[in-house]
Amino acid sequence: MTKSNSSASDALLEKFDLDEAKLASRIKDAAMQSGHYPYDEKLSRKTYEKELRLLQIELVKVQAWANDSGARLVLVFEGRDAAGKGGSINAIRAYMNPRSVKIAALPKPTERESGQWYFQRYIQHLPTEGETVLFDRSWYNRAGVEPVMGFCTPEQHQTFLQEAPKFEQMLVDEGIHLFKFWLNIGREMQMKRFHDRRHDPLKQWKLSPMDIASLDKWGDYTNKRNLMLKTTHTITTPWTIVRSNDKRRARLNTIRHVLSNLDYDGKDKDAIGKIDPLILGQGPEFLRLHEAMDFDD
């Protein structure tokens, strides 16, 4: 981030009180269009639910196809805290048999795992024939959370950025269908969602001390995100960016992307519909084009 953007970000944080019962109007009013988001309102619930049902029917077909063909799918969901990773995963998995569609949301490493090859604990969660695994955060913890919060050394971070493309290429060469999603939100939207979690008794469990600690590290996370995208976005293992201020549009376009890139039995292209190019795109260039973020080359 530039110094001017960093100063503006700091000033915004000073006006944010997570414990205040009422969210500051300046943050609330700016949330939806923060991060240069292209829409000023959510997609209507009626439209969302209608389109989601059609897409979920297609996902059920995908599961049947995977079971019959032995296809293996890995969907990696990354993004800042409160970007909507869990909600996207739940929308995908809602009507699929959990016996062969699994969620991997790993806690912090044990002492034993900390002494292993970094990717080792993730390998055991990879799918067997006919399975789909959805990673709610993944090995990319070492590209964002760990270096920002000081949980790894600069050398470990650099080694990861060099090894991750090689590791993922091995998965693709093995025949695994790999999808990597970065769910991108604006700062005011993150603040709004944090505030919602703090004051909703049904969502309070979602707000962790780590979330709160990240509030003043927006710029650090941005820089690490940019470096991650620059070094681990490849032709065969690309990052798909999903602009997620509106969770409904984000979920629909995420599912459309998966369905559009699989050749499964009974595929209904009309039901899948078209991806919104303002919401979903590929790699760091998509953010440069649509979000006007600062990338350090």
Side-chain angles (χ1 to χ4, degrees), residues 141-254:
N141 280 326
R142 181 143 290 181
V145 174
E146 290 190 18
V148 169
M149 303 306 294
F151 297 151
C152 71
T153 66
E155 292 76 18
Q156 288 172 324
H157 175 223
Q158 183 61 37
T159 296
F160 170 82
L161 293 176
Q162 294 172 353
E163 291 185 346
K166 301 174 187 177
F167 170 67
E168 292 166 1
Q169 188 61 51
M170 291 174 64
L171 302 184
V172 172
D173 290 344
E174 176 61 20
I176 291 174
H177 298 272
L178 175 63
F179 296 88
K180 301 190 301 185
F181 293 103
W182 174 267
L183 275 55
N184 205 66
I185 56 173
R187 188 163 201 197
E188 288 89 343
M189 179 55 74
Q190 185 188 56
M191 290 177 170
K192 179 181 182 301
R193 291 180 183 174
F194 278 3
H195 188 270
D196 290 345
R197 291 178 177 185
R198 170 72 92 187
H199 297 279
D200 185 339
L202 295 177
K203 296 181 180 180
Q204 285 178 355
W205 65 271
K206 291 185 175 184
L207 188 65
S208 70
M210 191 67 66
D211 295 337
I212 297 173
S214 72
L215 273 170
D216 64 349
K217 299 181 183 299
W218 180 270
D220 292 339
Y221 272 104
T222 298
N223 292 335
K224 292 299 186 294
R225 178 203 67 177
N226 295 349
L227 181 59
M228 177 196 77
L229 293 177
K230 178 181 177 181
T231 57
T232 64
H233 174 72
T234 72
I235 294 175
T236 53
T237 62
W239 276 104
T240 299
I241 312 299
V242 187
R243 302 172 73 190
S244 302
N245 281 3
D246 178 6
K247 295 178 181 179
R248 296 170 185 171
R249 287 187 173 91
R251 293 168 188 170
L252 294 177
N253 283 279
T254 297

Side-chain angles (χ1 to χ4, degrees), residues 60-96:
V60 172
K61 296 178 186 178
V62 167
Q63 183 171 32
W65 162 75
N67 290 338
D68 291 342
S69 67
R72 293 166 292 173
L73 282 70
V74 170
L75 280 66
V76 169
F77 287 86
E78 292 289 345
R80 299 181 194 266
D81 297 317
K85 298 178 291 294
S88 295
I89 289 171
N90 290 336
I92 290 172
R93 193 171 181 257
Y95 295 101
M96 302 174 82

